[in-house]
Amino acid sequence: MRFLATTGIALFLLSLESVVVKYLGFSVTRIDVTVAILVFLGLRANTLEGAFSSFAIGYLLDVMSGKPTGLYTFLAVLIFVLVRLAGTLVDARSAGMFVLFVAAADIGHGLLVVLFGWMTSPSGTAPMWALSGSLVHVAITSAAAYFMWPVFRRLDPATDRPQIGALR
C-alpha cells in the first residue's frame, strides 16, 4: 500500500512542481520534492518496499526531468540506502529532524548529480546546472519537506512513539 501511495504522491508532486517552477519563473533552481519522499521511505519503509518505491520515484523523475536517462533512478535508490543507513544512527520522528535529513540528502543528491554527470560527460566537464542556485534549492526543498511532513505522518501512523532525543 505504501508503494502505491508514495508513487502516486510523487507523480502528483512532480506534476505540481513543474507547474509551480514554471509560473514562479525559477530558471536556476527547482523544488526537489522527490528527495523528501525518498528520505521518508529511508526512515519509515521496510527495505524491499522502499527500494521498489525509490526505483519507481527515480524513474518518474528521469522521465519528467529530461536529464540523462538512468541517473535519477540510480541516485534515488542510492539516496534511499544512504538514508536507511543514517536512520539507524539518528532518530528522525520530529518535523525538524526530518527537514534536516531532507536538507542533507538534497545536498548529497546535488553533489552526486554533478559527480556522475561529470563522469559520464563526453566532453569531460561537470554539469554545473546541478549546483547553480543550490542554497536556494536546498532552502525551498526543506520548506516543502516541512509542509509535506503531516502527509507522511498520516501514511505511517504506527511508528509514533514518544520522542526521547535525537540519538537512538
Side-chain angles (χ1 to χ4, degrees), residues 7-27:
T7 307
I9 289 172
L11 183 59
F12 172 74
L13 288 176
L14 281 170
S15 302
L16 184 68
E17 172 192 348
S18 64
V19 171
V20 168
V21 165
K22 181 181 179 205
Y23 283 114
L24 290 180
F26 292 153
S27 61

Side-chain angles (χ1 to χ4, degrees), residues 69-154:
T69 304
L71 175 66
Y72 288 123
T73 305
F74 171 74
L75 288 179
V77 176
L78 181 65
I79 292 294
F80 166 76
V81 170
L82 292 176
V83 169
R84 186 111 176 122
L85 290 173
T88 60
L89 300 174
V90 178
D91 188 9
R93 280 184 251 149
S94 67
M97 288 300 291
F98 177 72
V99 169
L100 286 175
F101 255 86
V102 169
D106 198 27
I107 290 169
H109 188 262
L111 292 175
L112 288 170
V113 165
V114 170
L115 174 70
F116 288 118
W118 168 73
M119 288 172 51
T120 59
S121 171
S123 65
T125 59
M128 297 315 282
W129 48 261
L131 286 181
S132 58
S134 62
L135 290 178
V136 175
H137 178 86
V138 171
I140 292 172
T141 301
S142 299
Y146 180 77
F147 290 112
M148 289 168 37
W149 174 249
V151 174
F152 293 147
R153 285 184 53 124
R154 292 184 69 80

